[in-house]
Amino acid sequence: MNNFDKIDLNQLRVLATLLETRNVTRTALRHSISQPTASRILDALRLTFNDPLLIKTNAGMTLSQRAESLRQPLQQWLAMTRAFLHHHGSGPEQAIAGHIRVASTDYGVLSVLEPAMPQILQKAPELYIDVLPLEANNFNQLAMGMVDLVISGWEPEQGKGYEQHLFEEHFCAAFHMQHPLAQAGTDTPLSVQELLDWPHLLLSVHSIDIDPIQSFLNAHGLQRKVAARRPYLLATLRLLTHTDAIGVVPRHSLHAPLQEMGLTARPLPPEISGFNYWLHWHERSRRDPVVMWFVEMLAQSPAGQPPASPAPFKNE
């Protein structure tokens, strides 16, 4: 009898996680089993496939050539199995469970994931959500099955995958509540001169500045002082509490963080435009019911309903 006739299909779920994490301990945690149990499953899989699958190196575990060839077909098999169970289950509502890998910045977590999480946790308590850093190669990772969704302000490229528009975003200038710029009130847009009077803190994603102002300044032959550049939204906001610098940041869903840190904000001059925010996924995920359910939850959350005016920045 062939070894595959004896395989436990649950072991294939563990194998998919082992090939993804390359770590027995993390795999055990994700499947709520002990580390020795995960090790025994790996030993059994090695016998089944007659291959080491995971190989120890000085830098950690690496995949054997056979394991690398199994990784994508195994993910596709799991997606097809979820789809089959979704359409042929006995109950009127199917349990949503599994593992979702989302690439995002902390802004994406704050503005998109956080508003949707209460409903997601209520409806899918068995769903494991893994947030990964937003990187330049995330779209390649979507195609390779290393990431399921990307939340970003990157405009879609035709033919590269699938996307869901979430909202149109605009920028504001944030600063501490005792700042001279706070005297005009939170409804009053900054003038260009006010923008230039104070040093700026910039946001960046994988060393690319998230900065709507520079092109405007270049077009008008203007310059400003940049005090620092930081890759994290919340860390940038926190630095504003200790300095008179201003942070040009996306304004969506920032009401709570600004209040908690003792900050306020005003809109940028109207001639400075904003950007669109998107969910991106690949063809490989299009028929995965768990991924598509997650997309629907994010699209229907309050993230898709940005405030119509700067009023949320008013101090209550």
Side-chain angles (χ1 to χ4, degrees), residues 3 8 64 113 164 167 201-202 208 243 256 266 269 309:
N3 282 344
D8 181 347
S64 69
L113 280 177
Q164 168 72 49
F167 52 79
L201 303 182
L202 299 187
I208 298 175
T243 174
R266 286 171 56 187
S309 72

Side-chain angles (χ1 to χ4, degrees), residues 17-314:
T17 306
L18 283 167
L19 300 186
E20 176 196 336
T21 65
R22 307 183 187 193
N23 186 286
V24 173
T25 301
R26 288 205 297 270
T27 296
L29 289 172
R30 191 171 298 177
H31 289 273
S32 300
I33 59 179
S34 68
Q35 193 272 345
T37 299
S39 295
R40 286 196 295 271
I41 292 173
L42 176 57
D43 290 339
L45 289 165
R46 284 167 167 163
L47 288 174
T48 298
F49 288 94
N50 192 27
D51 187 88
L53 300 175
L54 293 177
I55 303 168
K56 288 185 179 180
T57 70
N58 292 335
M61 302 283 264
T62 189
L63 301 185
S64 69
Q65 185 175 355
R66 181 71 187 281
E68 188 64 47
S69 70
L70 289 170
R71 191 166 57 83
Q72 186 169 353
L74 190 54
Q75 290 290 345
Q76 292 173 344
W77 174 79
L78 288 171
M80 291 174 63
T81 301
R82 292 191 194 107
F84 175 82
L85 294 175
H86 178 75
H87 290 295
H88 298 278
S90 57
E93 293 215 11
Q94 305 304 315
I96 298 295
H99 176 209
I100 295 283
R101 294 154 298 186
V102 183
S104 177
T105 61
D106 57 346
Y107 167 70
V109 171
L110 182 69
S111 63
V112 178
L113 280 177
E114 184 177 288
M117 282 305 294
Q119 194 171 17
I120 290 172
L121 292 174
Q122 179 184 8
K123 293 188 174 183
E126 300 301 318
L127 184 64
Y128 178 84
I129 303 168
D130 195 2
V131 180
L132 307 172
L134 191 68
E135 299 176 350
N137 66 336
N138 281 149
F139 287 145
N140 291 332
Q141 292 174 340
L142 285 174
M144 296 170 62
M146 300 171 66
V147 172
D148 298 305
L149 287 173
V150 174
I151 305 175
S152 81
W154 296 328
E155 289 292 325
E157 297 183 35
Q158 189 172 7
K160 292 289 186 180
Y162 297 86
E163 62 278 334
Q164 168 72 49
H165 182 259
L166 292 173
F167 52 79
E168 183 180 356
E169 178 61 290
H170 298 278
F171 288 91
C172 65
F175 37 82
H176 62 77
M177 290 185 179
Q178 288 72 44
H179 199 288
L181 292 176
Q183 296 177 4
T186 57
D187 288 329
T188 306
L190 291 174
S191 68
V192 173
Q193 187 58 53
E194 285 177 314
L195 274 177
L196 302 180
D197 284 343
W198 303 94
H200 289 206
L201 303 182
L202 299 187
L203 284 171
S204 65
V205 175
H206 52 78
S207 300
I208 298 175
D209 291 342
I210 308 302
D211 180 20
I213 294 179
Q214 192 57 53
S215 59
F216 172 83
L217 297 178
N218 291 342
H220 293 80
L222 301 172
Q223 293 184 338
R224 56 159 174 191
K225 175 178 175 52
V226 175
R229 182 176 69 180
R230 312 191 82 182
Y232 306 113
L233 173 63
L234 295 180
T236 299
L237 292 177
R238 189 166 299 281
L239 186 57
L240 296 175
T241 65
H242 307 298
T243 174
D244 282 340
I246 62 176
V248 176
V249 295
R251 63 180 294 267
H252 192 92
S253 299
L254 282 183
H255 178 54
L258 290 177
Q259 293 246 329
E260 291 167 3
M261 295 182 189
L263 300 174
T264 187
R266 286 171 56 187
L268 293 188
E271 55 264 44
I272 297 176
S273 61
F275 64 97
N276 290 301
Y277 216 55
W278 302 86
L279 287 175
H280 303 269
W281 64 95
H282 190 262
E283 169 68 27
R284 59 172 293 278
S285 298
R286 189 166 66 89
R287 292 181 176 85
D288 186 324
V290 176
V291 174
M292 298 317 299
W293 177 87
F294 195 75
V295 167
E296 183 178 358
M297 294 297 292
L298 295 184
Q300 292 179 355
S301 79
Q305 304 170 23
S309 72
F313 296 124
K314 291 181 178 178

